[in-house]
Amino acid sequence: MEIRVSLDRPSIAFTILPSMGFFSSTMAWPELLRWADALVTTGLADLGYVYVNIDDCWSHLTRNSEGQLETDPKTFPSGIKALSDYVHAKGLKLGIYSDAGAFTCQVRPGSLFHENDDAELFASWGVDYLKYDNCFNLGIDPKKRYPPMRDALNATGRRIFYSLCEWGVDDPALWAGKVGNSWRTTDDINDTWASMTTIADLNDKWAVYAGPGGWNDPDMLEVGNGGMTYQEYRAHFGIWALMKAPLLIGCDVRNMTAETFEILSNKEVILVNQDPLGVQGRKVYVSGPEGCSQVWAGPLSRHRLVVALWNRCSETITVTAPWEAVGLDSSTSVSHKDVAEDVVSSFSAQVDSHDSHLYIFTPHTSVVSKI
Ligand code: GLA
């Protein structure tokens, strides 16, 4: 039987682009409503952040006597359907969470062996996105545990974005393209420079497996949570966008600083992420001590190119992107809206420690090789 890869699942354009929204763990109902309100009032929803994703702990500790999942009456007394109606009335979409195991990571009931019942329930609630975790998995091969939920979601007839959260344990990039719309490639991110850079490098390895309909997911954005500098958060957002990662905000959108908002609402960076060509940009050139001077790049639609100069060194340096490294013939002349002269053979800029600069270039001759 042919596997349906669900390329018709939802997105903000018609092909499935990386999802954008926010992600919240252990959040109760009234707070979640205010977060949904904030997505709209801040203008983030208009920029494409439309998914409001509930994480672990929304469900009751046990299934009911009919074996169905129920919401935790303390945190979601009105149930998920009421929440979904509220979110939809604002033009947003609702994401929910379950687990391809006996329990979720916080020991609420998992969906393993309950896939059809749970998918039907989620669809009846109007859910648009499912994050499917990997705890308490009974040692069963993920290639056996994740497809049944894909089939169950497809069988509901509702378009539901299927986000696999397998932590990269069994190299999901190699097989999950036939199963879901995104797959976590790594363990959980935390709000530190070390975690963010490690995860960027791990996710980079799987670049060639990403494309419209199925994306590598290096986990949510920590931007705005306080553990990194402004420059580090700028680099985090820029590199996630260039890698075509789902852009799931992980900070409190009701109380963002101006700097946090500026980073998350950068339209040009968002357009890189949502570019219809859907090619994941990669680390293409490293130099300097421990390779801390880095160039990340990838092709965009309309023969354009995105190039990030990322300074991972501990002082300000000049980062150079040689054209061969970004897939251009050295004689190619390239223009950029903020650079007065056309550039030939390489491009350099001074970049603060841990910051990254993102450029969209238009080559005047065609790109000669794929990067
Ligand atoms: C796992 C996932 C996280 C989060 C927690 C919630 O660790 O990888 O993203 O969902 O569970 O319990």
Side-chain angles (χ1 to χ4, degrees):
M1 197 182 81
E2 203 191 357
I3 298 162
R4 190 173 141 211
V5 187
S6 304
L7 283 170
D8 56 343
R9 289 221 171 106
S11 70
I12 57 171
F14 292 103
T15 148
I16 301 175
L17 297 171
S19 56
M20 294 175 63
F22 86 84
F23 161 101
S24 86
S25 209
T26 64
M27 181 155 301
W29 149 267
E31 265 183 288
L32 210 48
L33 298 186
R34 301 294 79 84
W35 281 50
D37 295 345
L39 272 188
V40 175
T41 55
T42 54
L44 288 173
D46 281 341
L47 290 167
Y49 295 97
V50 292
Y51 288 101
V52 173
N53 293 345
I54 314 170
D55 211 78
D56 205 346
C57 299
W58 62 267
S59 76
H60 199 37
L61 291 172
T62 52
R63 290 177 178 269
N64 68 17
S65 52
E66 276 95 55
Q68 295 287 338
L69 288 174
E70 281 187 347
T71 42
D72 185 329
K74 288 196 289 298
T75 44
F76 291 96
S78 313
I80 303 294
K81 180 70 172 71
L83 178 60
S84 143
D85 289 345
Y86 184 88
V87 162
H88 288 145
K90 291 192 159 283
L92 302 172
K93 295 169 187 281
L94 186 71
I96 207 160
Y97 164 99
S98 191
D99 190 287
F103 301 100
T104 72
C105 299
Q106 303 299 321
V107 207
R108 308 288 165 116
S111 290
L112 188 65
F113 309 132
H114 296 270
E115 292 86 356
N116 291 333
D117 277 0
D118 294 356
E120 267 170 41
L121 190 64
F122 299 151
S124 76
W125 287 341
V127 161
D128 305 293
Y129 177 114
L130 173 68
K131 171 175 169 180
Y132 206 41
D133 215 338
N134 197 31
C135 280
F136 299 99
N137 59 44
L138 311 180
I140 303 171
D141 184 344
K143 296 189 240 15
K144 295 206 165 65
R145 286 180 293 112
Y146 282 88
M149 184 53 93
R150 167 201 61 199
D151 297 340
L153 293 172
N154 281 338
T156 67
R158 186 171 175 86
R159 288 149 62 99
I160 298 175
F161 188 104
Y162 186 27
S163 160
L164 277 62
C165 179
E166 188 265 3
W167 315 320
V169 178
D170 250 79
D171 299 343
L174 301 180
W175 50 268
K178 291 188 164 56
V179 182
N181 303 120
S182 66
W183 46 89
R184 281 270 299 275
T185 51
T186 70
D187 208 344
D188 295 356
I189 192 169
N190 62 53
D191 188 15
T192 61
W193 166 253
S195 168
M196 187 271 283
T197 50
T198 303
I199 282 186
D201 291 346
L202 289 169
N203 192 64
D204 181 44
K205 182 176 167 194
W206 305 107
V208 296
Y209 300 98
W215 307 101
N216 290 312
D217 177 3
D219 206 358
M220 65 170 198
L221 297 162
E222 293 284 2
V223 178
N225 284 331
M228 289 183 248
T229 65
Y230 172 68
Q231 287 79 4
E232 290 167 350
Y233 281 142
R234 255 170 46 124
H236 178 16
F237 191 63
I239 296 296
W240 259 234
L242 176 145
M243 293 198 296
K244 304 290 187 288
L247 296 180
L248 297 170
I249 298 174
C251 73
D252 184 344
V253 288
R254 298 164 309 174
N255 297 302
M256 287 174 289
T257 63
E259 283 187 345
T260 296
F261 181 73
E262 177 209 304
I263 294 170
L264 295 173
S265 64
N266 187 320
K267 267 193 200 159
E268 284 176 300
V269 180
I270 291 171
L271 282 173
V272 166
N273 179 254
Q274 298 285 308
D275 183 75
L277 190 63
V279 174
Q280 177 173 330
R282 293 193 286 121
K283 187 193 297 201
V284 295
Y285 186 70
V286 296
S287 56
E290 290 167 42
C292 66
S293 171
Q294 302 196 347
V295 180
W296 292 57
L300 297 174
S301 58
R302 295 185 273 122
H303 306 294
R304 294 164 310 145
L305 209 60
V306 57
V307 176
L309 305 182
W310 193 4
N311 175 7
R312 285 163 62 162
C313 314
S314 45
E315 68 284 336
T316 300
I317 57 163
T318 296
V319 183
T320 298
W323 271 184
E324 306 87 76
V326 300
L328 293 174
D329 188 86
S330 62
S331 63
T332 308
S333 126
V334 161
S335 61
H336 180 270
K337 69 178 180 50
D338 300 330
V339 181
E341 303 275 308
D342 280 9
V343 214
V344 188
S345 89
S346 71
F347 180 73
S348 303
Q350 187 172 300
V351 184
D352 286 347
S353 172
H354 292 187
D355 201 358
S356 88
H357 293 184
L358 222 61
Y359 300 88
I360 297 170
F361 286 136
T362 308
H364 295 307
T365 49
S366 56
V367 176
V368 288
S369 59
K370 273 200 168 165
I371 53 172

